[in-house]
Amino acid sequence: MPLGDSALLVRFGNSLTDAANGAAIGLARLLDSDPPAGALEIVPNLISVLVRFDPLQTSAQTIAGEVRLRLLGHESHRAETREWSIAVAFDGPDLSDVATAFGMTAEAFIAAHNRGSLRVLATGFAPGFVYCGLHPNELTLPRRPTVRPSVPPGSVLFAAGQTAITATEMPTGWHIIGHTDFANFDPTASPPTRLEPGDQVRFMVAP
């Protein structure tokens, strides 16, 4: 679908699913490796890919045609997957309430949370902010009913079947379950973020 006169949005669903997110990441990687002429920026989101282009070099119709051609074979595109281990101090103010909501002890919830690796679903919303998921349905919890006006960088958040990590000070309505020293944002680096959509993350208890 067009977004103004210089961008297209390719959307793979109306809600977040593992399949829709995987398709968005796959297309974004393919477009990065073989960008259409005139494309300026490829930005994957949870279930979509934004393609910004120069309207003086190409048109929305041309870009859409190029994207359709790539969509025909993008499921077979497999980029190398990077794996990360991120140590977390599970000491967040909402940890006990989250565990209780699942009928678990805090220790049991931490074990369930860390049991398998998660995919980096998307980055953005704030500099270096990263979404990881998806947790199984039995570890899915809505966001908090109220928003905290500010949480520090490195906060480990939990909600909506996902675990997120903040890289800057920001407000949030997610549950805070811990914090990490892992820093995902350096404005002097290129690229400025370490984690990329499609990376695999395994959370572990900090020593």
Side-chain angles (χ1 to χ4, degrees):
M1 62 183 67
L3 291 180
D5 62 355
S6 59
L8 291 177
L9 185 70
V10 185
R11 193 164 65 187
F12 290 93
N14 294 315
S15 61
L16 175 58
T17 64
D18 185 71
N21 177 254
I25 291 172
L27 177 61
R29 288 182 167 185
L30 183 58
L31 293 176
D32 275 332
S33 65
D34 182 23
L40 300 176
E41 187 177 22
I42 311 297
V43 184
N45 208 317
L46 289 173
I47 59 171
S48 62
V49 180
L50 175 71
V51 183
R52 287 203 314 111
F53 60 88
D54 183 348
L56 299 179
Q57 294 187 37
T58 187
S59 66
Q61 292 82 359
T62 299
I63 288 287
E66 292 290 334
V67 169
R68 289 190 184 98
L69 287 174
R70 287 158 173 77
L71 279 171
L72 293 175
H74 92 278
E75 290 184 359
S76 62
H77 180 71
R78 293 291 183 268
E80 180 180 353
T81 298
R82 301 182 304 169
E83 298 183 357
W84 302 80
S85 293
I86 296 179
V88 175
F90 287 91
D91 56 1
D94 299 319
L95 177 64
S96 178
D97 289 343
V98 168
T100 299
F102 293 125
M104 299 178 178
T105 64
E107 292 76 15
F109 167 74
I110 292 168
H113 177 276
N114 295 354
R115 186 164 294 134
S117 62
L118 299 175
R119 183 168 66 225
V120 175
L121 304 174
T123 61
F125 174 70
F129 189 89
V130 60
Y131 302 84
C132 301
L134 292 163
H135 291 288
N137 289 337
E138 57 267 26
L139 282 184
T140 298
L141 192 69
R143 292 171 177 81
R144 287 164 39 86
T146 59
V147 174
R148 284 189 171 91
S150 179
V151 298
S155 297
V156 178
L157 313 177
F158 181 82
Q162 302 165 65
T163 295
I165 306 171
T166 68
T168 58
E169 183 177 341
M170 58 180 290
T172 186
W174 292 46
H175 307 274
I176 305 174
I177 60 173
H179 75 275
T180 180
D181 291 333
F182 181 87
N184 192 47
F185 180 62
D186 180 357
T188 67
S190 181
T193 56
R194 300 166 67 186
L195 297 172
E196 298 177 354
D199 287 353
Q200 292 290 319
V201 172
R202 181 174 288 276
F203 291 100
M204 54 189 293
V205 176

